[in-house]
Amino acid sequence: MMHIKKISLFLFFIITVTCYGQDSIPAQTTDSLDWNVTVIRLAQEQINIIPRGVRRISPVISFNKVKALDKKPKKFVPPLFWKKENLLNINLNEVAFVNWNAGGNNSISALGNLSFTRNYKYRYLTWDNELRFRYGINVQEGRSIQKTDDLIRLSSTFGFRKDTITSWFYSVKVNFNTQFSNGFKYPDTSTPISRFMAPGYLFLGAGTTYAPDTKKLNLYISPLTYKATFVLDQDLSDQGAFGVEKGKNIFAELGFLVTNTWEDEIFKNIFINHRLNVYTDYLKSFGNIDFDWELNFKLKVNEYINADIGTHLIYDDDIKFDEEIADDGTVLNRGVPRVQFKQLLGIGLAYAF
């Protein structure tokens, strides 16, 4: 009887080891390659004995809870480092009288402003470009058409900085501006006092620019700037207008230039645009400062309608007033420079494209 129990325990031990061994030692197959390398691969067999705590599940893919997109997915757009803006702005002012006892003349004023901006900024490089056209007219009852504004301006500044932390750039700047049509000393429209490229101004220089990444502020300082004044109309050149010698068409200067621009939204839907140019000549009149300052406020009504309030202040020592000329053409008095001031108030349409 004792022998039978021992034999039974031995058989039970053999069966248990055999059953558990199916999972720990899988069957093996051999493969031989052409270069006499033997690879042993483990054959995948189903596990008959499942360890405690392990669940066998079959992965099932279900789309029952998936909903269709309401909107089409946005396409990936690679980042562009060019910022461009095209803006057309037209301001209109009109005054009409019918049996108005206090008197007055019917009038219409229009001012058009077209600007193209292309700015590039990435890491060490910056390149700002602007082309602007501006022209304004005024029509009054009983009078001829008068010009109220006339401008062609091209500005380009290229800058390089040594790292991406600093806001100071080594810069080269070129600026050119002139006008479209003849200008007159109204009401006299027989003799023009200015024409296209009479005058025309060219600034070319090198210096440094302060342009923070988070602000629409730009400060350019150039200790070496070449300024050229062009008077290509021979009649005005013979009069020595705009500082050129009589009979000459170009007047050159070398001096110091500071340019500052700033754009910001100071209150909700109220924007400020400031531009200042300050220049002094080293060679002939050092310390005599010429400046050109524009300050404009835009009150935005909606996407297409806004109101503009602006001022423009100019002082140029080469532009003389109250010049006296004798009948024989002799200049009795060269005149004196004066501060020029212009103010603008209008409501108009704006369209960006």
Side-chain angles (χ1 to χ4, degrees):
M1 188 67 178
M2 183 63 66
H3 294 288
I4 294 174
K5 290 183 179 181
K6 291 182 178 180
I7 293 173
S8 298
L9 290 173
F10 180 75
L11 293 175
F12 177 77
F13 177 77
I14 295 298
I15 292 171
T16 303
V17 172
T18 304
C19 292
Y20 278 91
Q22 291 180 3
D23 187 37
S24 58
I25 306 177
Q28 300 178 353
T29 60
T30 60
D31 250 348
S32 61
L33 302 178
D34 293 340
W35 49 81
N36 298 324
V37 177
T38 301
V39 179
I40 299 176
R41 296 180 177 175
L42 302 180
Q44 297 180 355
E45 296 182 0
Q46 184 178 1
I47 299 176
N48 295 326
I49 300 176
I50 303 174
R52 182 181 298 176
V54 176
R55 296 176 57 192
R56 288 193 302 175
I57 58 175
S58 299
V60 178
I61 301 176
S62 175
F63 297 96
N64 294 332
K65 297 183 179 181
V66 177
K67 296 182 179 180
L69 293 175
D70 296 333
K71 299 180 180 179
K72 293 183 179 180
K74 295 183 179 180
K75 295 183 179 180
F76 172 74
V77 179
L80 298 177
F81 304 104
W82 281 97
K83 179 182 178 182
K84 67 176 184 178
E85 182 182 37
N86 305 321
L87 182 62
L88 173 63
N89 195 323
I90 299 177
N91 291 337
L92 299 174
N93 296 314
E94 185 263 345
V95 179
F97 301 94
V98 177
N99 298 326
W100 191 253
N101 183 57
N105 295 327
N106 299 336
S107 67
I108 298 176
S109 298
L111 175 64
N113 191 348
L114 179 63
S115 63
F116 302 93
T117 303
R118 299 291 185 273
N119 295 335
Y120 175 86
K121 192 169 187 178
Y122 178 68
R123 291 178 65 81
Y124 308 107
L125 299 179
T126 179
W127 189 17
D128 297 336
N129 304 275
E130 182 186 31
L131 176 61
R132 172 164 293 185
F133 305 100
R134 193 167 64 217
Y135 197 81
I137 58 173
N138 176 266
V139 181
Q140 293 189 21
E141 185 180 8
R143 297 184 181 181
S144 59
I145 297 177
Q146 297 184 10
K147 181 175 66 172
T148 59
D149 206 341
D150 193 354
L151 175 69
I152 302 174
R153 178 188 296 148
L154 173 63
S155 178
S156 180
T157 306
F158 180 83
F160 171 80
R161 59 181 174 179
K162 60 182 181 179
D163 54 55
T164 57
I165 300 176
T166 181
S167 298
W168 289 93
F169 294 80
Y170 302 103
S171 301
V172 176
K173 184 180 183 68
V174 58
N175 188 16
F176 171 79
N177 59 280
T178 183
Q179 62 188 46
F180 284 101
S181 60
N182 295 346
F184 299 95
K185 191 174 182 179
Y186 297 103
D188 181 14
T189 58
S190 59
T191 305
I193 59 174
S194 62
R195 294 178 181 270
F196 174 75
M197 287 300 294
Y201 297 100
L202 173 67
F203 293 87
L204 177 61
T208 182
T209 299
Y210 177 72
D213 294 334
T214 58
K215 298 180 181 180
K216 294 184 178 180
L217 173 68
N218 187 289
L219 175 63
Y220 171 76
I221 303 174
S222 172
L224 192 64
T225 295
Y226 170 80
K227 176 185 176 183
T229 302
F230 299 91
V231 181
L232 302 187
D233 180 79
Q234 197 58 44
D235 293 336
L236 294 174
S237 174
D238 292 339
Q239 298 174 15
F242 307 106
V244 299
E245 295 183 10
K246 290 186 177 181
K248 298 293 183 67
N249 299 112
I250 299 178
F251 174 57
E253 299 174 88
L254 184 65
F256 188 92
L257 174 68
V258 177
T259 300
N260 176 234
T261 60
W262 175 49
E263 298 179 12
D264 201 1
E265 184 177 8
I266 54 177
F267 299 104
K268 185 177 180 180
N269 294 331
I270 299 180
F271 300 85
I272 186 174
N273 187 315
H274 151 85
R275 184 188 65 85
L276 174 65
N277 284 357
V278 178
Y279 181 81
T280 183
D281 177 46
Y282 287 134
L283 304 178
K284 297 182 179 179
S285 58
F286 181 72
N288 181 71
I289 298 176
D290 299 335
F291 61 84
D292 186 338
W293 182 30
E294 287 186 74
L295 181 63
N296 297 287
F297 294 90
K298 182 173 71 174
L299 288 69
K300 188 174 182 180
V301 179
N302 55 37
E303 185 179 358
Y304 300 105
I305 300 177
N306 56 26
D308 293 316
I309 304 173
T311 60
H312 194 176
L313 199 65
I314 297 177
Y315 178 83
D316 192 335
D317 189 64
D318 298 322
I319 301 178
K320 309 293 184 179
F321 291 86
D322 299 330
E323 184 181 28
E324 297 180 8
I325 302 178
D327 295 336
D328 58 356
T330 305
V331 178
L332 302 177
N333 185 0
R334 293 287 300 174
V336 293
R338 290 184 178 179
V339 175
Q340 307 171 54
F341 178 77
K342 181 177 64 177
Q343 185 268 334
L344 168 69
L345 173 61
I347 298 177
L349 304 176
Y351 175 67
F353 59 96

